[in-house]
Amino acid sequence: YGHKLHRHLQNLHWKISVEFEGYRMCICHLPCRLVKPNLVGDQTFSKMGAHYHCIICSATIARRTDMIGHINRHVNKGETESRFITGTPAPKSSYQVLKESDTDVQVLPNYSTPQKTDSYFNPKMKLNRQLIFCALAVLAEERKPIECLDAFGATGIMGLQWAKHLRNSVKVTINDCNENSVTMIQENCHLNKMKVKLNTKEENNDEALGGGEQNTDTIEVTKMDANVIMHMRSFDFIHLDPFGTSVNYLDSAFRNVRNLGIVSLTSTDISSLYAKAQHVALRHYGCNIVRTEYYRELAARIVIAAVARAAARCNKGIEVLLAVALEHFVLVVVRVLRGPSPADDSAKKVRYLIHCQWCEERIFQKEGNMVEENPYQQLPCDCHGSMPGKTAVVLGPLWSGALFNTGFLRRMLFEAVQYGLDETQPLLKTLVCEAECTTLKNFSTHGPYDENKQEECGVYIKTPDTSAESCVLHGKRKNNEVVRNTAKRHKSDNSAEHPAFYYNIHRHSIKGMNMPKLNKFLNYLSEAGYRVSRTHFDPMGVRTNAPLAQFKTILVKYSTPTYTGGQAEDQVPAAADTKSEDAEFLEDNKSGDRWW
């Protein structure tokens, strides 16, 4: 009946619709949204998947309040144009071309939201991409050409940067399992005047090149699951950057990676790594964690422990070259060492951590299988004796070894300067100081890599014979020298390990006392005979081998009382005539605010 239909449309669809700029998004009961069926007894009841369709993007939202908030977020971002067309691909006119590090990529609308587009591109990950590029550039100096894989290409921005800047030193393969992403990667290769090798058939893009200078670089684009391609082929350099955790791809990555190759992975599941979703961390990494003052370093050690276990299952060990944990990602770069002995050495460094929840003291459990009568005796503090009940918690398993390789970081800094990556240099300088456990004022730009570089360049320049035989001999000699030099660098780069974890100076400050300036406090600790440095994990963190009790003693010794009134002119609180520690840290790093 007409009146019943009218009442149905008014009550069920029209009254609960969401209005936006003259449009009404009514609720939809069609099977557009997949809903899991409910099993009750022997019968299956399919639940109605009522939802809304966003007119700006292709998202489907179940609840009306969520839909209103979704539209408001579009408005706040300035996205008010209706561009959702059902069943048809986005027109070419809606593509947007972005540029990063002299590389152009075209993206679809909503490119920064992975749930709404196939061509996911996150501008905030520029620093991450530059760090990975520097690591690859260092490996390309050790041996060339190297085969490298970007397992999750999306727009192909990372692989394009590798091929565009490193040229003949690398053979780049960009992979993605999504057909639309593969098409986008091919178009971006043509946009950057590069040849595409797809399904073993090389396509010359003379039309795309036009009248410009032709580039002979070739990028291989594959469409398959990341686990499949890593099982099928061997690579020297593998980068994993899935949306979320990388643990599902670690076994495949270490199966065929070549000896002394590099595996880098970016984890963006920070809710679990930063102890906001502890049950997810237990499910993905098999690790028990709580929120601590050093939660970012804890996250890096969780990921490295998972990497070490996956490598050990393939009879391979790891050498951690770099571990960075910032606000929205955790980056880990490791070198692969083949053989059961390196695998055993790496597996031994995966240990549990005892953390005191009263004073924030922490220590790794001692090696051995014997059960201790009182594990609290391993902690330097006596909180268990003075406090009732249980005061400590066991965290882990975690990586207990070093997080940085000083020599590799210095070579990365050299490559960053050479390629003009200004935004990465302040962070790399801080990492070098953190690896050496020294302050930025004592930072030296001269390292062993510069001397090796000059010697190698001198050998190549002085070679007079250019015949085919001598080229082969020199090539063999060069390869042997590179292997020997790499082995020597591993021994020389592995200096004394930096202290594990750090202390936040604000967490241990004394109420009613003004703390000294952070750089002065570092000097006080250094004068007391301890190794100290700042850390990129926390702007107010101090990495030191001093026990927490001594740390607090020195902090109390050089803190001044806070005067509320009636103070003399010469009695000025320490905090009154000093800048904030954050500003001072950024001053020392010059352009450090770009990455902080």
Side-chain angles (χ1 to χ4, degrees), residues 444-513:
S444 173
T445 55
H446 301 289
Y449 180 57
D450 300 335
E451 298 175 2
N452 293 336
K453 186 96 175 168
Q454 291 171 3
E455 290 176 5
E456 290 173 7
C457 292
V459 169
Y460 302 146
I461 291 171
K462 292 178 183 177
T463 304
D465 195 358
T466 57
S467 63
E469 266 184 23
S470 71
C471 287
V472 172
L473 290 174
H474 285 307
K476 291 180 180 177
R477 228 177 272 143
K478 174 186 167 185
N479 291 336
N480 294 334
E481 285 177 5
V482 167
V483 172
R484 278 192 233 107
N485 290 339
T486 304
K488 289 179 182 177
R489 281 175 191 163
H490 291 332
K491 295 180 181 177
S492 62
D493 292 348
N494 290 329
S495 55
E497 290 187 0
H498 52 274
F501 301 112
Y502 54 89
Y503 301 106
N504 186 294
I505 191 172
H506 281 311
R507 291 284 287 264
H508 302 285
S509 61
I510 299 93
K511 188 175 182 181
M513 303 284 283

Side-chain angles (χ1 to χ4, degrees), residues 400-595:
S400 62
L403 296 180
F404 310 102
N405 184 299
T406 308
F408 192 86
L409 287 172
R410 284 190 174 276
R411 296 198 289 275
M412 284 181 63
L413 180 59
F414 179 85
E415 299 295 342
V417 173
Q418 188 176 16
Y419 288 98
L421 305 178
D422 298 332
E423 298 181 9
T424 317
Q425 295 175 26
L427 176 58
L428 286 172
K429 288 180 182 178
T430 303
L431 293 176
V432 171
C433 293
E434 190 174 356
E436 296 177 348
C437 205
T438 183
T439 56
L440 195 62
K441 292 180 181 178
N442 299 328
F443 174 77
S444 173
T445 55
H446 301 289
Y449 180 57
D450 300 335
E451 298 175 2
N452 293 336
K453 186 96 175 168
Q454 291 171 3
E455 290 176 5
E456 290 173 7
C457 292
V459 169
Y460 302 146
I461 291 171
K462 292 178 183 177
T463 304
D465 195 358
T466 57
S467 63
E469 266 184 23
S470 71
C471 287
V472 172
L473 290 174
H474 285 307
K476 291 180 180 177
R477 228 177 272 143
K478 174 186 167 185
N479 291 336
N480 294 334
E481 285 177 5
V482 167
V483 172
R484 278 192 233 107
N485 290 339
T486 304
K488 289 179 182 177
R489 281 175 191 163
H490 291 332
K491 295 180 181 177
S492 62
D493 292 348
N494 290 329
S495 55
E497 290 187 0
H498 52 274
F501 301 112
Y502 54 89
Y503 301 106
N504 186 294
I505 191 172
H506 281 311
R507 291 284 287 264
H508 302 285
S509 61
I510 299 93
K511 188 175 182 181
M513 303 284 283
N514 286 323
M515 297 182 304
K517 291 175 66 175
L518 191 53
N519 282 347
K520 287 185 178 180
F521 180 67
L522 295 178
N523 293 334
Y524 297 147
L525 281 172
S526 182
E527 291 170 1
Y530 298 107
R531 301 174 63 198
V532 291
S533 72
R534 303 193 71 158
T535 175
H536 81 281
F537 291 112
D538 188 350
M540 300 308 299
V542 178
R543 186 181 295 279
T544 178
N545 60 345
L548 182 59
Q550 190 66 22
F551 182 90
K552 290 183 176 180
T553 300
I554 297 176
L555 186 60
V556 172
K557 180 179 178 181
Y558 293 99
S559 296
T560 57
T562 302
Y563 297 97
T564 56
Q567 58 185 3
E569 293 180 0
D570 57 341
Q571 294 176 333
V572 183
D577 61 341
T578 59
K579 293 179 288 186
S580 69
E581 289 85 351
D582 291 347
E584 185 183 353
F585 188 39
L586 297 180
E587 234 180 57
D588 293 341
N589 283 275
K590 299 301 181 186
S591 58
D593 54 340
R594 297 181 185 174
W595 62 268

Side-chain angles (χ1 to χ4, degrees), residues 327-345:
E327 184 180 357
H328 48 279
F329 69 89
V330 176
L331 171 65
V332 171
V333 181
V334 299
R335 191 187 292 275
V336 180
L337 308 174
R338 281 196 172 185
S341 296
D344 293 339
D345 294 338

Side-chain angles (χ1 to χ4, degrees), residues 147-373:
E147 296 185 32
C148 47
L149 169 68
D150 182 9
F152 300 88
T155 59
I157 176 66
M158 191 173 295
L160 287 168
Q161 290 177 357
W162 298 348
K164 198 160 189 176
H165 294 291
L166 298 178
R167 299 286 179 174
N168 297 327
S169 301
V170 294
K171 296 179 180 178
V172 180
T173 301
I174 306 177
N175 176 71
D176 204 289
C177 61
N178 188 287
E179 187 173 354
N180 296 332
S181 295
V182 172
T183 304
M184 183 71 68
I185 293 169
Q186 295 179 61
E187 294 177 358
N188 287 330
C189 289
H190 297 162
L191 185 64
N192 289 275
K193 301 180 180 180
M194 292 190 179
K195 294 181 180 180
V196 179
K197 183 180 178 183
L198 183 65
N199 295 330
T200 68
K201 293 181 181 179
E202 192 173 335
E203 299 178 356
N204 281 332
N205 52 326
D206 296 334
E207 296 179 2
L209 293 174
E213 184 181 353
Q214 189 166 356
N215 195 344
T216 58
D217 298 332
T218 302
I219 295 179
E220 183 178 357
V221 182
T222 59
K223 177 185 174 294
M224 60 181 72
D225 187 84
N227 285 320
V228 173
I229 189 172
M230 288 187 291
H231 269 293
M232 289 174 56
R233 295 173 50 185
S234 299
F235 294 95
D236 300 285
F237 185 92
I238 296 175
H239 177 62
L240 304 175
D241 188 7
F243 181 64
T245 181
S246 305
V247 293
N248 298 327
Y249 307 95
L250 293 179
D251 289 327
S252 304
F254 286 99
R255 178 63 58 187
N256 283 329
V257 64
R258 295 192 177 102
N259 190 28
L260 298 180
I262 289 179
V263 174
S264 68
L265 55 109
T266 302
S267 297
T268 54
D269 55 332
I270 56 174
S271 60
S272 60
L273 290 174
Y274 289 174
K276 295 179 181 177
Q278 300 173 4
H279 61 287
V280 182
L282 185 62
R283 186 198 321 145
H284 287 167
Y285 301 94
C287 185
N288 176 44
I289 56 173
V290 295
R291 184 79 167 192
T292 61
E293 64 173 328
Y294 49 93
Y295 66 94
R296 285 183 179 169
E297 183 171 343
L298 206 64
R301 292 185 181 274
I302 291 170
V303 176
I304 298 174
V307 171
R309 291 196 297 268
R313 287 192 290 269
C314 301
N315 277 341
K316 296 181 177 73
I318 63 168
E319 177 192 1
V320 181
L321 304 175
L322 172 69
V324 174
L326 296 179
E327 184 180 357
H328 48 279
F329 69 89
V330 176
L331 171 65
V332 171
V333 181
V334 299
R335 191 187 292 275
V336 180
L337 308 174
R338 281 196 172 185
S341 296
D344 293 339
D345 294 338
S346 299
K348 288 177 183 177
K349 294 182 180 179
V350 179
R351 295 155 62 185
Y352 286 91
L353 181 78
I354 304 176
H355 171 80
C356 178
Q357 300 196 88
W358 283 101
C359 67
E360 299 275 353
E361 185 61 277
R362 72 299 302 249
I363 191 170
F364 282 106
Q365 276 189 349
K366 296 178 182 178
E367 294 185 12
N369 299 325
M370 302 303 293
V371 179
E372 285 204 16
E373 184 179 355

Side-chain angles (χ1 to χ4, degrees), residues 9-34:
L9 294 175
Q10 283 288 341
N11 295 338
L12 187 61
H13 293 278
W14 196 255
K15 286 185 179 180
I16 59 174
S17 62
V18 179
E19 192 171 357
F20 171 73
E21 293 192 355
Y23 295 94
R24 280 184 179 271
M25 288 163 279
C26 299
I27 194 167
C28 173
H29 287 272
L30 296 176
C32 312
R33 186 182 178 91
L34 296 177

